Amino acid sequence: MDASIASFFTYIQKSPLNMVLFGLAITSGGMLLFPLFSRGMRPGAEVGPMDAVTLINRKDAVVIDVRDEGEFNSGHINSARHIPEKQLAERVKELEKFKSKPVIVSCAMGRRASAAVETLKKQGFADVVALRGGISAWSQAGMPLEK
């Protein structure tokens, strides 16, 4: 086994093109695996659009949209409550009555929602999740948006 590995590296070193191709193979493999590892490192739990619909329909989950006013007005999940991310800490009192329900936080692509999930968890919300991929993923899944 060690001899075959040694002969492989000898072959790679014979030509600069072989080294470049080997480097490209390693880089592309890493790029394919990156989303798997980065998902596990994100703070907070996430759900996809289909799981979000299940939470809304079966557990009466509350949807909070943390996008800016213009983004929210361009289309949002039906009955979503609009609280921009910058105002979330100040307006968390409005959400106190929903502490016992599941809460789904949505944004445009899913990044702001993760930060909002952490803010809500610090305020005592136990069942809070981010919408993976945000409204973009919601639209791509063919789910309706309210304007």
Side-chain angles (χ1 to χ4, degrees), residues 6-117:
S7 65
F8 173 73
F9 282 113
T10 303
Y11 174 75
I12 293 288
Q13 292 172 351
K14 285 185 179 181
S15 169
L17 180 61
N18 291 344
M19 292 172 65
V20 169
L21 291 175
F22 181 69
L24 284 172
I26 295 296
T27 303
S28 65
M31 291 172 71
L32 288 172
L33 294 174
F34 178 74
L36 295 174
F37 293 116
S38 68
R39 184 177 294 160
M41 300 173 100
R42 287 187 208 148
E46 295 180 324
V47 294
M50 297 307 221
D51 293 329
V53 169
T54 302
L55 280 173
I56 292 167
N57 290 338
R58 293 193 179 156
K59 295 188 177 181
D60 199 27
V62 176
V63 179
I64 300 170
D65 196 319
V66 295
R67 297 177 298 158
D68 296 329
E69 187 76 29
E71 293 173 302
F72 181 79
N73 291 336
S74 68
H76 56 274
I77 297 171
N78 295 342
S79 71
R81 287 170 168 56
H82 180 234
I83 301 179
E85 181 188 18
K86 294 175 184 173
Q87 299 174 9
L88 186 61
E90 303 159 7
R91 295 178 56 187
V92 76
K93 296 268 188 232
E94 297 174 26
L95 304 171
E96 290 289 324
K97 58 187 171 194
F98 303 118
K99 276 190 175 182
S100 62
K101 291 184 176 186
V103 176
I104 302 168
V105 182
S106 68
C107 65
M109 299 294 288
R111 292 185 180 95
R112 290 179 277 182
S114 294
V117 165

